[in-house]
Amino acid sequence: MSAITESRFYTVGLVLAWYSSNIGVLLLNKYLLSNYGFKYPIFLTMCHMIACSLLSYVAVVWMELVPMQMIRSQNQFFKICVLSFVFCASVVSGNISLKYLPVSFNQAIGATTPFFTAVFAYLITMNTEALLVYATLIPVVTGVIIASGGEPSFHLFGFIMCVGATAARALKTVLQGVLLSSEGEKLNSMNLLLYMAPVAVVLLLPVTIYMEGNVVGITLALSQVDFRIVWYLLFNSALAYFVNLANFMVTKHTSALTLQVLGNAKGAVAVVVSILIFKNPVSVIGMLGYALTVFGVILYSEAKKRSK
């Protein structure tokens, strides 16, 4: 087998691992929060962050999968804390939305990330795009409006949470580019996660205690009745870390643009798989709306590439 063939097999394997972990954690979150009835999205997010803290340390410090990058100043640490807060808001809001919305509609809203990225890029950095780039955002937003109108399981609070999660995800991307833009402060995604995850745990702990009460005691009591909950949480939390690891590895071995294209396809795959598993009702109008959004995202990616 040639080196080129081996490289292609390796890349395909990475992409499959990224798809599997990404879609897997999404579906398992939905199952736990909605179907299983584990109604503690903040605690679930904290479990994810604890796993990310521990496994990031193992991967970066012990296994040395990537060179460790040290924090150089208090100012840099403050910037990481800001990013961690926005990251927490994104993940918690996304998990809360899964209590109320089907995965298919959740993914349709999540596809509008480019719209929020463009808005925040303009508001924060005054960075403007070519008119064609902005024009491609029209079908992105229009598609979600159509999908919302045709969604049989529409829930206003879940919708607001999902939009908030999408906006926070875009905000983190823009802030990361601004706050960690100097050569001395840039961190690769694995090192950034190594520092952000423990900060996220510290931020989420008091919120979990205040908002979700004796969730640890409730979980332990539940494990006495159904021990599967322990395995669900452990596997789900580990999977949340491997999403980030696979994302980093795919980006490293392909490109950011390829990752964007693959991400669009991943959303469509997640929609199909979730409908097959959870059998949530869908409408023709809803699916046409989602298809329009994905088409808009593809046009957006192409317009961005040509404008550079």
Side-chain angles (χ1 to χ4, degrees):
M1 187 182 293
S2 67
I4 295 176
T5 304
E6 286 184 3
S7 177
R8 285 177 179 171
F9 271 113
Y10 182 65
T11 302
V12 169
L14 285 177
V15 171
L16 289 174
W18 180 51
Y19 269 42
S20 300
S21 58
N22 210 303
I23 296 173
V25 76
L26 183 67
L27 297 178
L28 191 49
N29 282 349
K30 174 63 179 175
Y31 174 74
L32 284 170
L33 295 168
S34 184
N35 296 63
Y36 187 83
F38 187 78
K39 300 178 181 179
Y40 306 102
I42 304 174
F43 176 70
L44 182 63
T45 305
M46 191 174 73
C47 289
H48 290 177
M49 293 303 103
I50 291 171
C52 286
S53 300
L54 297 173
L55 294 175
S56 289
Y57 187 84
V58 171
V60 177
V61 180
W62 286 1
M63 299 179 67
E64 299 180 347
L65 293 182
V66 295
M68 187 171 182
Q69 298 169 289
M70 304 300 294
I71 295 178
R72 296 172 179 266
S73 65
Q74 288 185 344
N75 187 44
Q76 186 186 17
F77 178 68
F78 173 75
K79 292 174 180 178
I80 290 171
C81 289
V82 171
L83 289 173
S84 185
F85 176 80
V86 178
F87 180 56
C88 280
S90 171
V91 179
V92 170
S93 299
N95 283 341
I96 290 174
S97 73
L98 285 172
K99 284 178 65 176
Y100 305 99
L101 300 178
V103 173
S104 53
F105 189 41
N106 180 284
Q107 289 295 286
I109 299 169
T112 61
T113 301
F115 168 77
F116 290 103
T117 303
V119 170
F120 286 126
Y122 177 74
L123 293 176
I124 295 172
T125 68
M126 298 302 292
N127 179 49
T128 56
E129 301 284 358
L131 189 59
L132 181 62
V133 175
Y134 288 124
T136 61
L137 293 174
I138 296 174
V140 171
V141 177
T142 304
V144 169
I145 293 173
I146 294 172
S148 300
E151 175 54 51
S153 306
F154 182 84
H155 189 285
L156 181 59
F157 180 69
F159 175 77
I160 293 171
M161 285 291 100
C162 196
V163 170
T166 306
R169 192 159 52 244
L171 178 60
K172 176 188 169 289
T173 301
V174 175
L175 285 178
Q176 187 173 329
V178 173
L179 297 179
L180 301 178
S181 58
S182 67
E183 285 301 320
E185 291 187 334
K186 279 184 180 177
L187 296 171
N188 63 49
S189 60
M190 296 307 296
N191 276 275
L192 184 59
L193 185 64
L194 172 67
Y195 294 120
M196 282 202 317
V199 175
V201 174
V202 173
L203 291 172
L204 289 169
L205 182 58
V207 180
T208 303
I209 294 171
Y210 178 75
M211 298 288 291
E212 297 181 343
N214 186 28
V215 63
V216 175
I218 293 170
T219 305
L220 289 174
L222 180 59
S223 68
Q224 301 297 316
V225 180
D226 184 5
F227 194 75
R228 289 179 304 170
I229 186 62
V230 175
W231 296 116
Y232 285 150
L233 290 175
L234 287 173
F235 181 67
N236 183 246
S237 300
L239 209 55
Y241 170 75
F242 284 109
V243 168
N244 293 279
L245 177 62
N247 186 83
F248 173 79
M249 297 298 288
V250 171
T251 306
K252 181 179 177 182
H253 288 274
T254 56
S255 67
L257 183 61
T258 302
L259 189 75
Q260 197 170 35
V261 174
L262 290 170
N264 296 335
K266 173 185 64 63
V269 173
V271 167
V272 174
V273 173
S274 69
I275 292 171
L276 291 174
I277 292 176
F278 297 114
K279 296 180 172 52
N280 56 282
V282 292
S283 67
V284 175
I285 293 176
M287 294 310 294
L288 286 175
Y290 178 65
L292 180 60
T293 294
V294 173
F295 180 65
V297 172
I298 294 170
L299 290 179
Y300 172 83
S301 302
E302 188 62 28
K304 281 277 287 183
K305 186 171 67 174
R306 291 187 178 185
S307 68
K308 291 182 179 179

